[in-house]
Amino acid sequence: MKFRKTRRCSITANNLLRFSVGIALVFSALSVAADCQSGKGITSNDVIAVTGEADTLWTLVWEGPRNQFAVNSIIHGGDSVSLNKDNNWLSYTLGCISSDIHDLAYGDGRLVLCFDTLKFGQPNPVLLLTRNGNSINKQDFSLGWPVDSSSLDLTAREVVWVNNAFYFACMDAGLVRWDYKNQTKSVFSPGKSSSVPVNEFPGLESKPDTMLRVIGLERHENDVMVITPARIWRFSTIDSSWDSSISSQLVNSELNFSGFEAVYPEPGKDGLLLSRIRVKKRIAGSWKDTLILAKYSRTQKNWRSILEQTVYDVAFGPGHYFFVLTEKGISAFQDSLADTLVTRSAVINTSVFQNWITRNFAISEPVLTDLHYVGLTDSTGYLLLASTDGTFLARWQYPPAEKVTFYQVKRAPPVRSGLKQTYARPGVLVADMYDQQSRTVFIYNLSRDANVTIRVYDYNMDLVKTIISNKFRRAGNNGGQHGRSTVENEDWWDGRNSSGKMVAPGVYYYRISTDIGERAFGKIVVAK
Amino acid sequence: MERLWWQNKRIYAVTAGIAILALLVTSTGASTVGGSSGAYLRPWAGAAAMATAGANSALPDYLSPWWNPAAMSFHKGRVLSGGVGLRSLGRTDAFGAFEFKVPPRLNLGLMLLYRGDPFLNDLYDENENPLERASYTTFTGKIAFSYYLSRKMSAGLGINIRFQQLPTYIEGSHVGYSSCTDIGALDLAFIYQVSKVWTMAAVLKDVGASMTWTVNLNRGNSAQIEERTYPSLTLASKYQGSFLDKPLFWTMDMKAYLFDGKFKTLERPQAVLSTGFEWRNWEMFFIRAGLGELLINGDLLRDHDNYLSSFPFKITAGFSLDMQRWRNGVRLNYGVSTDKLWAGIDQQIDVQWNF
C-alpha cells in the first residue's frame, strides 16, 4: 500500500537515525502513545489509509486539531447502512504522533502500523492493534534491532500480512518476518534462503548492497513480492525461497529503466502484474525522470508502459478489473491478460466522481489518499476510496453496471452553507476523564470567503469570550477544511472566559458574524 | 406654574451621582461578570420591567419580591400577578407572585419564577450525531418581607430558594441531567422617598448565593462544581414629572457588580445602566419605553474600539392596559425588547391584580 501523506511532519529517517545513534536500545515494548483512548464513531474525516478484509475494515485518520493519528474500525456487515452508522465504528486515538506512519496492514484480527524509523529513539517501532469486543487493545514494540545496527537505514517502509505472519520491508536489512504466534522475528536478504534473528542482525558487518535494499513489498497468494531498486523478487513464505525470474526489461524504446518503486500483483495464480517504475523519458532531446505504470508480460518477459502518470495505488477487482489512484483521480481499467494494452473502463470516471462529490458534499477537490478493494464473493465486493474528506464506498460487481455510485462513509456531515446550519461539537461540554482540556468546536460553513467573528455569551447575553475576531475563513466549497469554513484548531472554546476562568455551569450562546452579512447563533451546555 | 421634570435640578444631581459611581466602577478594565454564576438571574422579570428596560427597582408596581422587597410597604392592599415570557434563542420565563399586608407595618411576598430553555435542541455529540432534545430548567423562589419604617422609608428582605437542572452526560443519543439546589441567599433592600414625586432605592441581591453541583458524567462518574453568585448592588430612582400635562414616570437603575461570591473585590467590576419611561397620557392605557443594559466598564475609556465593537444595549417598549371592565384592579402589562445580540426579540405578558 502506498498511501499519500498530506500533512505529516517530515522527519527523515536517516536524520533521526544518525541523531539517535547510541540511544537506541533493544525494546520489547514501547510506549508509543501514552494517552491513547478508544471510543465510538469516526474521529476525523482526514483519512490517510484504508485497509481490512471482508470481516473488518480499518481506516487511519489524521486528527489535525490534536496533532495526532487515530484508527477507526468497523466489523463489516457487508452493507453500506452499517458502514454509515457512526455507532458501528470504534475509534482509537494513537496520541500525539509527531512523525509519519509509513504503512499499515491487517491480518488475522490484527492491525499493524509501522512508524518512521527511530521514532522515540527506537528503530522500527510498530504498533499492534487488536479489536476486542467494543474496545481496541494496543501493543507497542520495536522490531528489536541490535544497537550497532542503528547506523543503517532500517526503516520499515511497508508491511503486509501473508500466511500467518507480518512481513516488513526494512531497507538495508532486507525482508523481516514477524511471526507473532511464535514471537520470532527473522531477517531475510534478497536472494539468500538463510535468515538471522533480528536481534542478531550483523549490522554493518553484513555489508549491505544498495541494489538489494528492500524498498517495498506486496502480498501475492502465499508469496511476498519484494521490491529492490533493480528487481522484483518473489519470496515464498512456505519454503523461504527467492525467485528472481521477473525481468527488468522495458519494451518501450523511448523509456530508460531507472528503478522499481512499487508492485501490484493481481490476486490469483498468473494474474496481472503491474508496477510503478521510475524511468527516464526522452523529451525534446533530453532525458527526464518520470513515473509510469507498467504491465508485465510473462511470455515476453518484459514490461510495457500502460499509464504515464504518478500512480499512488492500485486495487484489483474481479473480472480482471483494476482501479488506479493517480494524481488526477481514480480510473478503472480492464485487462485481457493478453500481451496487449489494457483498456480504460468508463464505469468509474474521474470527472464524474468529482462532480458527484462536489454536488453532494460541497467538496471541490478532495485529495484522494488510498484505495482498497474488499471482495465479498467471487464477483462482488466494495471499492473503498480514502480522501482528506472522508471515505467513499462503491458497491462493485462483475460484470459491472454502466455506472458505479459512490457513497460516503463519513463522520462529519455536510454543513449547509450561508451559516444556515451551525452547531458546536460537542454541544454538551463537560470535563472528560481522559482529557481535562475538553473543548467544543464551532462547526459552520460560509457561502463565500469572509472575515469571521465568534463570540460566546451567557444566559443574559453578557459577553463571555471572543473566540476569533475578524479572522479570514474560506467558504467550504472553496478550500475549507472538510468542506466547511471551520478551522478546527482555532474555532473552539474550552469553557473559559476572557480571563481564563472556568465559567459557571449553564447554557451559553454563541454568535458567528461575518463581514458579508451572514450570521448565526447556537447553544452550548457547559458543566465542567 | 408647575415645573416640568427636566427643570428639576435634583434630577441632574441624581444623574451626575450615578455617572460618578459608574466611572468609579469602570476604572479597572474589562468585565468578568459574563459567564459568572447566576447568569440566569440577571434577565428582567415581568412585562412592566421589560417595557421600561429593567429600570424597575425603585418602586415596582408588582413583582416586588423580585425587584425590591421594600417596595411592598408602599402598596395598598394585595397584589397578585403572573405572566409568561418568550425570549430570543428559546429562553422562556413564567412566574407567579403574591404580595399582602400583615398589619400594622409588615408586608409579605411570595414568588416563584421558572426560567430556562425547554427546547434545547441542535445539540450534537463529539461525533456530530444529533442528540435528543434536552431542556435547561431553573426555578427561583423568593420569600420577601418589608417593614414600613416611616412614611418615607422602608426596608426589605428576601430569602432565595434556587434550583437548576442541566443536561450533562450523553449515552448514545440520550442526554442525562444533573441538578443543584440552594436555599438561603439573601436580598436586602431599602427605599427612601425623597419627595412625593421622587423615590430612591438601594437593593443588594444574591448575598451568600452558592450552588454545589454534582455533575453526572458518562460511565457513572461524577464531578463536584461549586459556583458562587456575584452579589449585585442596584441604585434606583423613580421620578414623577409630566409631559404634555400628563404624568410621566422616569425610572433609572444602575446595577453594579463589585464583589465576587466571597465578597472579595472584583478585579474588574462592571455596571449596567438602564432607564425607562412610563407616560400616562390615557387613564386606561400607559405607554412605556426604555433603553437598557448599557454596559459600563473600563473598556469604555481604555479600549473603546473593542467596547464599541460589542456594545450591548436593549431597546424596549410596552404598555399597561386597565382591565377594569373585566375586573376592578386588573391590569394587563406587555413588554417587548431587543436582546443584546440582535438574535431576536424578548416578549413578556403579565396580569396584575391589585385588590
Side-chain angles (χ1 to χ4, degrees):
Chain A
M1 184 179 302
K2 290 83 187 166
F3 52 79
R4 296 166 72 180
K5 303 179 185 75
T6 53
R7 289 193 288 277
R8 279 1 107 202
C9 303
S10 55
I11 301 172
T12 66
N14 282 335
N15 286 343
L16 272 173
L17 197 69
R18 294 187 182 96
F19 176 73
S20 303
V21 169
I23 299 174
L25 300 170
V26 178
F27 280 83
S28 59
L30 281 177
S31 179
V32 172
D35 54 342
C36 296
Q37 55 179 290
S38 58
K40 288 268 187 183
I42 298 173
T43 50
S44 166
N45 292 325
D46 194 346
V47 186
I48 301 162
V50 57
T51 188
E53 293 176 356
D55 59 343
T56 306
L57 290 177
W58 294 79
T59 59
L60 174 68
V61 299
W62 170 248
E63 290 189 317
R66 294 182 181 180
N67 203 34
Q68 61 194 9
F69 292 96
V71 293
N72 301 300
S73 169
I74 185 169
I75 294 175
H76 185 30
D79 62 276
S80 54
V81 176
S82 64
L83 284 167
N84 276 304
K85 281 190 178 172
D86 229 23
N87 278 340
N88 290 345
W89 288 83
L90 287 183
S91 65
Y92 190 84
T93 299
L94 304 180
C96 293
I97 305 296
S98 60
S99 65
D100 292 352
I101 295 177
H102 275 303
D103 200 7
L104 73 170
Y106 174 78
D108 197 26
R110 292 165 174 80
L111 181 79
V112 156
L113 298 144
C114 51
F115 295 89
D116 207 339
T117 298
L118 285 182
K119 173 73 183 141
F120 303 105
Q122 310 307 321
N124 289 140
V126 172
L127 188 64
L128 177 71
L129 298 170
T130 52
R131 223 183 133 121
N132 182 16
N134 281 330
S135 64
I136 296 174
N137 299 329
K138 75 173 173 71
Q139 181 188 345
D140 314 323
F141 63 95
S142 77
L143 291 180
W145 300 105
V147 174
D148 62 359
S149 300
S150 56
S151 56
L152 299 172
D153 186 353
L154 304 177
T155 310
R157 288 290 178 101
E158 293 185 356
V159 57
V160 293
W161 163 258
V162 188
N163 206 9
N164 293 320
F166 286 102
Y167 288 83
F168 299 88
C170 287
M171 298 300 286
D172 287 339
L175 180 71
V176 171
R177 177 170 64 196
W178 175 47
D179 183 341
Y180 69 88
K181 283 184 178 167
N182 298 322
Q183 283 301 310
T184 58
K185 297 167 200 160
S186 310
V187 185
F188 296 88
S189 295
K192 296 180 184 174
S193 57
S194 61
S195 66
V196 293
V198 166
N199 58 3
E200 294 174 13
F201 180 67
L204 286 171
E205 294 172 19
S206 67
K207 297 177 182 172
D209 181 348
T210 54
M211 295 308 290
L212 292 180
R213 272 188 164 185
V214 176
I215 57 177
L217 45 73
E218 202 60 66
R219 171 186 181 166
H220 184 240
E221 305 297 303
N222 284 322
D223 296 342
V224 180
M225 307 293 285
V226 175
I227 308 157
T228 57
R231 186 174 293 276
I232 291 175
W233 305 73
R234 183 185 293 274
F235 177 79
S236 168
T237 61
I238 306 293
D239 59 11
S240 302
S241 62
W242 294 87
D243 174 0
S244 61
S245 61
I246 299 170
S247 86
S248 307
Q249 184 71 39
L250 262 176
V251 73
N252 306 66
S253 58
E254 75 280 15
L255 302 175
N256 261 0
F257 177 88
S258 293
F260 290 108
E261 287 211 339
V263 62
Y264 308 105
E266 184 182 23
K269 196 181 177 204
D270 297 329
L272 180 64
L273 185 62
L274 302 175
S275 177
R276 185 175 72 220
I277 302 175
R278 182 168 296 282
V279 297
K280 290 189 182 296
K281 183 178 183 183
R282 193 169 187 84
I283 301 173
S286 62
W287 294 93
K288 293 195 173 173
D289 281 334
T290 188
L291 288 168
I292 61 167
L293 183 68
K295 172 188 170 185
Y296 187 65
S297 165
R298 286 191 168 80
T299 54
Q300 298 180 15
K301 294 189 179 300
N302 58 22
W303 294 89
R304 184 187 298 270
S305 173
I306 58 172
L307 195 62
E308 288 192 21
Q309 283 178 20
T310 302
V311 171
Y312 296 113
D313 204 3
V314 174
F316 291 92
H320 305 298
Y321 270 87
F322 62 95
F323 314 98
V324 180
L325 180 63
T326 69
E327 57 194 341
K328 293 184 178 176
I330 178 174
S331 303
F333 294 83
Q334 188 180 21
D335 182 58
S336 63
L337 284 185
D339 288 332
T340 55
L341 291 180
V342 296
T343 53
R344 190 185 284 265
S345 168
V347 293
I348 296 179
N349 181 294
T350 298
S351 63
V352 171
F353 177 71
Q354 295 284 10
N355 290 340
W356 172 82
I357 202 171
T358 301
R359 188 174 63 249
N360 288 280
F361 301 103
I363 303 167
S364 56
E365 290 181 1
V367 178
L368 303 178
T369 52
D370 196 15
L371 190 63
H372 189 74
Y373 181 81
V374 178
L376 299 176
T377 67
D378 286 345
S379 59
T380 63
Y382 282 108
L383 181 63
L384 290 151
L385 191 56
S387 83
T388 51
D389 279 294
T391 306
F392 298 91
L393 174 149
R395 187 186 288 272
W396 180 263
Q397 62 182 36
Y398 178 77
E402 285 185 8
K403 184 182 167 189
V404 172
T405 305
F406 278 89
Y407 302 91
Q408 192 173 35
V409 181
K410 178 170 174 168
R411 169 188 59 89
V415 177
R416 285 190 292 159
S417 67
L419 298 185
K420 288 174 182 163
Q421 185 188 14
T422 66
Y423 49 88
R425 185 195 76 213
V428 180
L429 184 60
V430 294
D432 189 315
M433 62 183 297
Y434 296 108
D435 181 7
Q436 295 299 318
Q437 305 301 317
S438 59
R439 59 199 194 184
T440 187
V441 178
F442 300 98
I443 307 296
Y444 59 97
N445 190 6
L446 302 165
S447 65
R448 59 184 198 271
D449 297 354
N451 292 311
V452 175
T453 298
I454 303 176
R455 290 193 166 106
V456 177
Y457 301 84
D458 66 14
Y459 191 88
N460 191 42
M461 306 299 183
D462 289 329
L463 179 65
V464 174
K465 189 172 186 178
T466 300
I467 306 298
I468 56 169
S469 180
N470 273 319
K471 283 251 184 171
F472 179 76
R473 293 289 180 263
R474 290 199 172 281
N477 61 5
N478 191 31
Q481 195 176 20
H482 305 323
R484 303 158 168 193
S485 300
T486 301
V487 174
E488 297 209 0
N489 58 358
E490 292 183 10
D491 302 345
W492 55 267
W493 184 48
D494 60 357
R496 295 177 186 277
N497 66 11
S498 53
S499 302
K501 192 176 175 185
M502 192 59 67
V503 299
V507 175
Y508 290 82
Y509 303 88
Y510 61 87
R511 179 174 65 183
I512 302 173
S513 53
T514 65
D515 60 356
I516 56 172
E518 292 176 356
R519 62 180 197 150
F521 301 89
K523 304 171 189 178
I524 307 166
V525 175
V526 180
K528 61 179 286 196
Chain B
M1 185 177 133
E2 190 180 345
R3 285 185 302 174
L4 296 175
W5 65 269
W6 58 80
Q7 294 171 323
N8 190 324
K9 290 178 183 173
R10 281 187 289 194
I11 293 292
Y12 297 103
V14 170
T15 308
I18 289 174
I20 290 167
L21 182 56
L23 288 174
L24 287 174
V25 165
T26 66
S27 59
T28 48
S31 161
T32 53
V33 174
S36 66
S37 169
Y40 73 95
L41 298 168
R42 293 199 286 270
W44 310 321
M50 181 176 285
T52 54
N56 196 47
S57 295
L59 197 59
D61 294 335
Y62 63 99
L63 208 50
S64 301
W66 179 271
W67 287 100
N68 184 346
M72 292 188 295
S73 295
F74 295 96
H75 291 165
K76 294 170 184 170
R78 293 158 289 183
V79 184
L80 183 65
S81 58
V84 293
L86 292 174
R87 297 164 189 270
S88 62
L89 298 175
R91 296 170 302 155
T92 306
D93 269 27
F95 78 89
F98 182 50
E99 302 155 44
F100 59 97
K101 191 174 284 292
V102 181
R105 287 174 176 265
L106 195 63
N107 278 67
L108 247 68
L110 302 167
M111 69 154 292
L112 183 67
L113 171 74
Y114 159 80
R115 188 165 268 175
D117 187 340
F119 306 108
L120 202 54
N121 48 11
D122 285 338
L123 294 179
Y124 287 74
D125 69 7
E126 183 73 50
N127 299 316
E128 298 189 23
N129 294 314
L131 298 173
E132 281 181 6
R133 195 171 67 191
S135 63
Y136 171 51
T137 306
T138 75
F139 285 102
T140 306
K142 287 184 189 271
I143 303 168
F145 306 89
S146 77
Y147 190 77
Y148 188 71
L149 296 169
S150 72
R151 282 196 293 177
K152 289 197 166 191
M153 287 188 286
S154 73
L157 170 71
I159 301 170
N160 289 275
I161 304 161
R162 304 196 300 179
F163 170 82
Q164 277 191 85
Q165 187 185 57
L166 264 181
T168 58
Y169 70 96
I170 300 162
E171 286 179 351
S173 61
H174 174 71
V175 180
Y177 289 87
S178 303
S179 61
C180 66
T181 308
D182 171 51
I183 301 173
L186 299 179
D187 299 340
L188 304 169
F190 181 76
I191 287 180
Y192 175 64
Q193 289 204 315
V194 182
S195 68
K196 284 185 179 177
V197 295
W198 189 16
T199 304
M200 292 188 71
V203 184
L204 185 60
K205 292 177 83 169
D206 300 319
V207 178
S210 166
M211 301 188 93
T212 302
W213 291 82
T214 300
V215 177
N216 297 317
L217 303 171
N218 287 345
R219 306 179 193 95
N221 296 293
S222 62
Q224 295 269 329
I225 300 175
E226 186 187 21
E227 53 166 312
R228 286 177 179 270
T229 305
Y230 294 179
S232 64
L233 173 64
T234 304
L235 300 179
S237 162
K238 184 172 187 177
Y239 184 81
Q240 181 184 346
S242 66
F243 181 63
L244 299 177
D245 292 331
K246 298 291 181 181
L248 179 82
F249 292 84
W250 174 34
T251 54
M252 183 180 284
D253 274 25
M254 197 187 75
K255 190 175 187 180
Y257 295 89
L258 306 171
F259 306 101
D260 68 8
K262 294 178 179 175
F263 266 88
K264 286 168 64 178
T265 308
L266 279 182
E267 192 181 329
R268 294 173 179 178
Q270 79 167 32
V272 288
L273 189 66
S274 300
T275 185
F277 298 89
E278 179 182 290
W279 188 38
R280 298 184 177 178
N281 188 45
W282 304 276
E283 283 188 10
M284 303 281 287
F285 189 72
F286 305 158
I287 296 172
R288 294 164 175 157
L291 184 65
E293 302 238 346
L294 296 159
L295 180 65
I296 300 168
N297 67 18
D299 283 351
L300 182 62
L301 301 174
R302 299 179 176 197
D303 189 3
H304 56 270
D305 284 345
N306 184 40
Y307 179 82
L308 292 174
S309 73
S310 59
F311 180 63
F313 63 91
K314 293 182 179 180
I315 301 167
T316 69
F319 63 83
S320 178
L321 178 65
D322 194 332
M323 308 285 284
Q324 65 176 346
R325 285 184 186 173
W326 179 64
R327 188 177 287 273
N328 203 28
V330 175
R331 295 197 76 86
L332 178 73
N333 298 290
Y334 174 77
V336 61
S337 164
T338 60
D339 72 3
K340 288 189 276 191
L341 301 190
W342 299 94
I345 59 169
D346 302 345
Q347 296 183 80
Q348 176 92 27
I349 189 162
D350 301 345
V351 176
Q352 74 177 94
W353 182 24
N354 295 63
F355 59 102

